Amino acid sequence: MDLPWDYSTWKPTAGVFEWLGDWKKPSKKGFAKLKLQLAIPARNVRDHPHEPRFRFERGETLYRLGYPELAAGDFEKTLMLIEYGLDFSSELGENVRVLGIQESVKKHELSPEVTQQNVSDLLNNLRKKTYMEYINALYKIRAVPDILTLCKEALKIYPRDPEIRDLLEEGEEAYSEHAAEARPSLAAQGMSLDQYAWGMVATKSYPWTPPALRTRDVETIASANQILDSCSDCLEIRHSSLGSRNGTTQSFGMFAKRDIKKNEKILDSPSATGTSNKPATGQYCYNCAFTLKKNQVFTFTCCPTMKFCSEVCLEIANGNYHKALCGKDFSELYQAASSQTFSESSKARDNLVFLRLIAISLQAGTPPLMTPPIAWLGANYEAQSPIPWSRGANIIGPLRTLQILGVSIFAEDYDIWVLQTMWYVALHTSQENADVKSEKESCPKQL
Ligand SMILES: [Zn+2]
Ligand SMILES: [Zn+2]
């Protein structure tokens, strides 16, 4: 974020759609000021990843720049860091306190008890401010159920706080008003309010994304074609003018290399990105998510719950992600994905796609956005329509997944804009596996 980027590449996600509450787009002058302002906490967050005040400041600036979904991520991490900081027995808490906050109270040479109390007071004040800003940001994404959850969480800590009580009341009003508006169209589609996608965010490329990740060079396309060649004898990726506004061939498309007969299978390959929410039932291949045949199941001795339809799938898993997952317990993610509650299970199923992508990147040892297949797709994810957003699917789920994988969630490589970009890529390119779509309880997904 503190790398060079300019006004022409700035495409805020706020203000694109008429959600709830106003976000005022800064003028060109205001933008220049905010961009400079962002560079300071952005640098500080990189140098001091455990200092909650820097995260909070960066979140505030990102919000003003029109990125409420990124501000939300910073506010979530600020709350987590404060939690660690208030736990005087936690090791990470020491990192939180050792920086600016501890220093500022040390100056006065106070007793350890008073110092501890002052540190707690400072962190508690910051926590309340963070909740308030977090709630405000969520209005710009229309994530009303998350607003209510956050208000209730904050009220447990500050039970009689009038400002938070007011926020809860406003949130409840917004919920009933919007629910009343949404109900008729939901009913027409045979859906309940539980299935309604509240949170929505516009899909925009972040301006500080390194240029190499925003363009696809000859080599990228050649390597994608090489892989395509191994699973299809009739398809190739070429430049295309389709979808381009000025008729140029900046886009890419998939073309037939020869005439294709009716009912001919044009693509025959399991990719590394099929996921099913019930791997332990032994019904679906862990790699391609196709239904397993009873007498034809392949497994690893170290991870017997990962079952595969073929040696090819087993090899793909081993070559791409098994090592990153081996020996780790993801049962909580799978349990959530099998939940009877629609909103919980759909968030968790998306999280399983994220788990696969991040495991591929960890095994490859490359930053997530540089790792195929994310890198191949990353240059092309902007879209006209918004995509669903929720605190569970976009922030808490990915952070929890990273923690289980043993990755530091405060590391720069896993900054929230990186996770959000992965999310855009996954949602714009993922599709349910047609052959098993009818098995509703399974919902396998494949990129
Ligand atoms: Zn398979
Ligand atoms: Zn294993």
Side-chain angles (χ1 to χ4, degrees), residues 37-184:
Q37 245 176 52
L38 179 68
I40 301 162
R43 207 170 35 239
N44 284 336
V45 163
R46 196 182 47 225
D47 296 344
H48 308 284
H50 299 117
E51 164 63 88
R53 284 184 309 180
F54 298 146
R55 292 255 169 214
F56 175 76
E57 282 166 21
R58 194 178 71 164
E60 271 188 315
T61 319
L62 282 168
Y63 171 77
R64 288 197 202 112
L65 275 165
Y67 298 111
E69 75 287 8
L70 301 185
D74 269 346
F75 295 143
E76 187 76 45
K77 287 189 185 175
T78 305
L79 290 175
M80 292 171 99
L81 286 168
I82 291 172
E83 195 65 37
Y84 285 121
L86 286 168
D87 177 0
F88 284 80
S89 62
S90 106
E91 219 173 286
L92 188 61
E94 190 55 36
N95 288 344
V96 173
R97 295 185 301 271
V98 88
L99 292 159
I101 291 173
Q102 184 112 316
E103 291 307 310
S104 66
V105 287
K106 250 189 197 165
K107 276 185 222 147
H108 307 287
E109 291 182 17
L110 303 165
S111 70
E113 292 76 24
V114 178
T115 304
Q116 188 161 328
Q117 188 54 50
N118 287 354
V119 169
S120 299
D121 289 347
L122 280 169
L123 287 173
N124 257 315
N125 288 341
L126 180 62
R127 176 152 68 172
K128 190 190 148 187
K129 263 168 74 180
T130 308
Y131 270 116
M132 312 268 297
E133 292 297 321
Y134 197 168
I135 290 162
N136 185 37
L138 292 192
Y139 272 104
K140 310 305 173 288
I141 320 173
R142 203 183 63 184
V144 190
D146 290 322
I147 292 173
L148 298 182
T149 313
L150 269 178
C151 288
K152 286 171 193 164
E153 247 180 65
L155 275 176
K156 274 191 195 149
I157 305 164
Y158 312 97
R160 270 176 284 279
D161 190 284
E163 284 176 301
I164 299 172
R165 278 170 178 245
D166 283 351
L167 283 176
L168 178 61
E169 225 169 86
E170 278 167 32
E172 279 166 344
E173 262 170 47
Y175 185 91
S176 6
E177 264 173 44
H178 195 77
E181 277 170 31
R183 258 191 203 104

Side-chain angles (χ1 to χ4, degrees), residues 141-380:
I141 320 173
R142 203 183 63 184
V144 190
D146 290 322
I147 292 173
L148 298 182
T149 313
L150 269 178
C151 288
K152 286 171 193 164
E153 247 180 65
L155 275 176
K156 274 191 195 149
I157 305 164
Y158 312 97
R160 270 176 284 279
D161 190 284
E163 284 176 301
I164 299 172
R165 278 170 178 245
D166 283 351
L167 283 176
L168 178 61
E169 225 169 86
E170 278 167 32
E172 279 166 344
E173 262 170 47
Y175 185 91
S176 6
E177 264 173 44
H178 195 77
E181 277 170 31
R183 258 191 203 104
S185 64
L186 282 171
Q189 296 168 63
M191 285 162 72
S192 67
L193 201 56
D194 181 44
Q195 289 166 284
Y196 183 56
W198 283 90
M200 281 284 170
V201 63
T203 320
K204 298 284 169 195
S205 168
Y206 295 119
W208 47 79
T209 308
L213 296 176
R214 276 189 270 136
T215 49
R216 285 163 295 194
D217 57 19
V218 179
E219 267 172 47
T220 320
I221 299 301
S223 78
N225 265 325
Q226 211 178 345
I227 292 172
L228 184 59
D229 223 27
S230 68
C231 50
S232 170
D233 65 353
C234 59
L235 296 176
E236 69 173 338
I237 301 163
R238 284 206 314 252
H239 277 289
S240 164
S241 59
L242 286 174
S244 128
R245 278 186 205 140
N246 47 12
T248 57
T249 52
Q250 283 174 335
S251 312
F252 286 92
M254 185 93 80
F255 290 86
K257 289 196 281 192
R258 57 167 176 77
D259 288 343
I260 296 168
K261 290 184 210 95
K262 193 178 171 186
N263 291 332
E264 191 184 341
K265 200 169 190 179
I266 58 170
L267 196 61
D268 184 17
S269 164
S271 82
T273 51
T275 58
S276 156
N277 62 342
K278 289 186 173 175
T281 61
Q283 272 178 287
Y284 305 104
C285 174
Y286 194 87
N287 183 63
C288 71
F290 272 77
T291 312
L292 290 173
K293 291 189 186 112
K294 261 190 191 150
N295 301 321
Q296 205 186 334
V297 176
F298 299 79
T299 55
F300 295 112
T301 41
C302 50
C303 298
T305 54
M306 290 184 193
K307 293 182 168 64
F308 302 90
C309 68
S310 61
E311 215 150 327
V312 175
C313 272
L314 182 108
E315 276 312 310
I316 291 176
N318 204 37
N320 288 283
Y321 56 83
H322 160 245
K323 289 165 199 141
L325 302 176
C326 188
K328 299 184 175 101
D329 180 9
F330 298 97
S331 51
E332 65 177 273
L333 304 185
Y334 286 106
Q335 263 161 27
S338 306
S339 159
Q340 293 303 308
T341 315
F342 178 86
S343 57
E344 189 186 349
S345 73
S346 66
K347 280 174 206 163
R349 285 201 305 273
D350 290 334
N351 200 26
L352 294 179
V353 177
F354 174 80
L355 167 67
R356 179 66 53 82
L357 291 176
I358 216 79
I360 292 172
S361 125
L362 284 174
Q363 182 155 326
T366 46
L369 298 183
M370 312 266 280
T371 309
I374 309 161
W376 298 337
L377 304 163
N380 196 30

